[in-house]
């Protein structure tokens, strides 16, 4: 069979480094800071990038190379670079491509730490950001300026689980010659491949569903080879590279990504359907619920709905805190994408640095709860949510 004919699961499992002389079946760990050269000419040519080889693990390492190769195949990307965390990936990707005086147009519904980069740090370097309402995509082009360089969005969004039409963003980016960057963390490449819809770069926090068991931190950016080269050169100097051990863990985790996501999504849909019928819940947001405002778009660009359910408890902030205090089985944690179901109250945790007005502008009400649905027996998860709501 031609490699292009292999299915997603086969590529995830069979994309491996070449075996060493020991003919191992599972890829070994390469816990080394650096690599040796055969002679002076080999060393010169390697540093001149005339040879494609490992020099120093801040630049590349066999374990990180394998992880990057797998994600590139999954996303349909030409190249990639792996980072120590998801935010290292977001920051380094943006910083490598932006100059003082540049402008970013971003969805307003983004992760709190990314928002902080845009409003607290990039302005110090002369980089301006304008937010658009994800529920009003028809306004996006009105925010584009002559100095706009990047169009940035998440879909589904964190934490309100809104969906944006990636095909529309791709068309806008092409029309205005912008670099389209999509944070695909919530969907993973198993459920959604933004490059198919026109994205130039795709960013992930590998800490989440890619790992899937809450063990290691990691991040990755994949996409256009010329853009990745700029990100690589910036990152090899600034040092946010992924550790070989974490890369090894993440690469092994990708072998089970598809089968885990199938169960995550199955459980999440059942949880969403339960919450939608509960009398103490105002509303529920889940991409594959027919009541979701962007249900048709989710159906078009996603294989399944993901593992994140957002719902609003009647009673606001105090009701949200009471609900969390009554949780018994599920975990209270800022993480997501774990085998264990995690419940988070964004207004008082992950998005607490935003003002009330900023939170409301991106659908984060005081009573909003984000549930990262895990792999437990789903009736047990629902029973815990039910007793906490009651």
């Amino acid at each position: 069979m031609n490699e292009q004919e292999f299915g997603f699961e086969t590529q995830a499992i069979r994309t491996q480094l070449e075996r060493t002389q020991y003919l191992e079946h599972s890829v070994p760990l390469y816990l080394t800071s650096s690599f040796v050269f055969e002679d002076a000419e080999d060393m010169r040519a390697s540093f001149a990038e005339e040879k494609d080889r490992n020099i120093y693990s801040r630049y590349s390492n066999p374990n990180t190379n394998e992880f990057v190769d797998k994600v590139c195949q999954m996303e349909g990307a030409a190249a990639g670079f792996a980072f120590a965390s998801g935010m290292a990936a977001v920051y380094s990707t943006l910083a490598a491509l932006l100059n003082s005086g540049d402008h970013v147009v971003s969805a307003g519904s983004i992760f709190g730490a990314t928002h902080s980069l845009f409003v607290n740090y990039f302005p110090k370097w002369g980089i301006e950001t304008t937010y658009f309402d994800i529920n009003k995509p028809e306004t996006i082009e009105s925010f584009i300026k002559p100095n706009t360089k990047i169009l940035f969005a998440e879909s589904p969004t964190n934490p309100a689980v809104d969906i944006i039409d990636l095909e529309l963003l791709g068309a806008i980016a092409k029309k205005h010659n912008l670099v389209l960057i999509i944070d695909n963390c919530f969907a993973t490449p198993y459920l959604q491949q933004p490059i198919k819809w026109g994205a130039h770069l795709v960013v992930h926090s590998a800490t989440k569903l890619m790992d899937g068991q809450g063990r290691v931190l990691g991040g990755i950016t994949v996409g256009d080879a010329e853009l990745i080269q700029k990100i690589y050169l910036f990152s090899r100097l600034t040092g946010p590279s992924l550790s070989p051990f974490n890369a090894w863990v993440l690469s092994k985790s990708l072998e089970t990504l598809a089968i885990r996501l199938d169960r995550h999504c199955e459980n999440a849909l059942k949880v969403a359907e339960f919450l939608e019928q509960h009398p103490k819940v105002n509303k529920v947001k889940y991409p594959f619920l027919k009541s979701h405002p962007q249900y048709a778009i989710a159906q078009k660009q996603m294989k399944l709905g993901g593992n994140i359910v957002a719902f609003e408890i009647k009673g606001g902030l105090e009701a949200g805190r009471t609900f969390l205090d009554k949780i018994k089985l599920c975990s209270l944690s800022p993480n997501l994408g774990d085998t264990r179901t995690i419940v988070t109250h964004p207004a008082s945790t992950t998005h607490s640095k935003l003002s009330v007005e900023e939170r409301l502008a991106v659908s984060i009400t005081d009573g909003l709860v984000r549930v990262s649905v895990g792999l437990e027996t789903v009736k047990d998860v629902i029973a815990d949510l039910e007793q906490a709501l009651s």
Side-chain angles (χ1 to χ4, degrees):
M1 289 178 67
N2 186 294
E3 186 176 293
Q4 297 301 314
E5 297 174 353
F6 287 145
F8 184 96
E9 293 87 344
T10 303
Q11 289 193 355
I13 293 167
R14 289 293 176 177
T15 300
Q16 290 185 294
L17 295 172
E18 291 185 13
R19 292 189 176 103
T20 71
Q21 70 271 30
Y22 298 110
L23 300 178
E24 66 281 344
H25 192 223
S26 183
V27 173
L29 270 165
Y30 289 87
L31 296 181
T32 179
S33 58
S34 59
F35 302 84
V36 298
F37 304 93
E38 295 177 1
D39 50 39
E41 174 56 23
D42 179 35
M43 196 171 190
R44 182 206 66 79
S46 298
F47 272 87
E49 297 186 6
E50 295 170 7
K51 289 185 173 183
D52 184 16
R53 55 110 76 212
N54 295 302
I55 299 173
Y56 193 67
S57 285
R58 175 159 51 87
Y59 302 178
S60 66
N61 175 281
N63 294 124
T64 56
N65 295 343
E66 181 185 276
F67 172 58
V68 169
D69 287 347
K70 285 190 177 186
V71 179
C72 283
Q73 286 192 30
M74 292 174 171
E75 289 282 11
F81 191 81
F83 299 88
S85 70
M87 281 312 302
V90 171
Y91 169 73
S92 299
T93 298
L94 293 166
L97 301 180
L98 290 168
N99 296 310
S100 181
D102 285 342
H103 176 243
V104 177
V105 173
S106 170
S109 303
I110 54 175
F111 180 49
T114 307
H115 168 76
S116 292
L117 280 181
F118 284 145
V119 301
N120 296 328
Y121 292 95
F122 283 180
K124 295 196 302 182
W125 304 314
I127 298 167
E128 180 190 5
T129 301
T130 302
Y131 287 133
F132 66 87
D133 186 338
I134 201 165
N135 295 304
K136 297 177 181 178
E138 69 277 3
T139 65
I140 296 173
E141 288 188 271
S142 68
F143 298 122
I144 296 172
K145 304 178 181 182
N147 62 332
T148 304
K149 190 169 185 179
I150 286 173
L151 181 58
F152 184 91
E154 300 173 5
S155 187
T157 63
N158 183 3
V161 203
D162 287 313
I163 303 292
I164 191 162
D165 191 334
L166 299 180
E167 186 175 21
L168 173 65
L169 293 184
I172 292 172
K174 184 176 182 179
K175 178 180 176 181
H176 295 276
N177 195 30
L178 306 177
V179 177
L180 176 58
I181 303 175
I182 299 296
D183 185 330
N184 200 31
C185 173
F186 271 24
T188 80
Y190 179 61
L191 302 183
Q192 176 175 272
Q193 298 87 37
I195 291 172
K196 290 181 180 179
W197 304 103
H200 300 95
L201 295 170
V202 178
V203 182
H204 289 276
S205 172
T207 311
K208 310 303 190 295
L209 286 161
M210 283 189 174
D211 174 28
Q213 296 176 61
R215 298 168 298 183
V216 299
L217 297 178
I220 188 166
T221 300
V222 300
D224 177 82
E226 289 187 15
L227 295 175
I228 291 295
Q229 179 65 12
K230 293 179 180 180
I231 295 165
Y232 161 73
L233 292 174
F234 176 84
S235 300
R236 64 181 270 178
L237 290 175
T238 53
S241 54
L242 182 64
S243 76
F245 177 78
N246 286 11
W248 178 82
V249 171
L250 291 167
S251 187
K252 297 300 291 182
S253 296
L254 288 179
E255 296 182 11
T256 61
L257 180 66
I259 194 168
R260 286 188 285 107
L261 258 293
D262 282 340
R263 178 56 65 86
H264 275 299
C265 295
E266 178 186 334
N267 283 359
L269 181 58
K270 290 177 180 177
V271 168
E273 290 170 341
F274 156 74
L275 290 169
E276 197 168 39
Q277 303 302 318
H278 201 283
K280 291 192 177 180
V281 173
N282 273 332
K283 62 180 179 180
V284 180
K285 294 277 281 296
Y286 182 69
F288 270 39
L289 275 183
K290 291 183 179 180
S291 58
H292 193 289
Q294 296 97 25
Y295 173 75
I297 298 172
Q299 289 279 311
K300 178 181 78 169
Q301 65 194 32
M302 296 179 70
K303 181 176 181 178
L304 296 166
N307 83 309
I308 305 297
V309 179
F311 70 98
E312 185 180 73
I313 298 176
K314 292 179 180 178
L317 192 62
E318 199 54 43
R321 288 174 174 162
T322 300
F323 169 79
L324 292 184
D325 286 339
K326 293 176 69 176
I327 285 290
K328 295 178 180 178
L329 174 71
C330 302
S331 304
L332 305 185
S333 171
N335 197 25
L336 60 93
D338 201 310
T339 52
R340 303 161 186 84
T341 296
I342 294 170
V343 181
T344 308
H345 183 236
S348 64
T349 57
T350 57
H351 291 71
S352 59
K353 298 295 189 294
L354 276 64
S355 68
V356 173
E357 293 74 21
E358 287 172 330
R359 289 200 298 270
L360 290 176
V362 293
S363 305
I364 302 174
T365 61
D366 285 345
L368 185 75
V369 173
R370 185 188 73 191
V371 184
S372 171
V373 183
L375 301 180
E376 304 98 336
T377 305
V378 71
K379 69 178 181 63
D380 296 331
V381 175
I382 290 173
D384 192 33
L385 297 176
E386 186 168 31
Q387 66 82 23
L389 284 167
S390 64

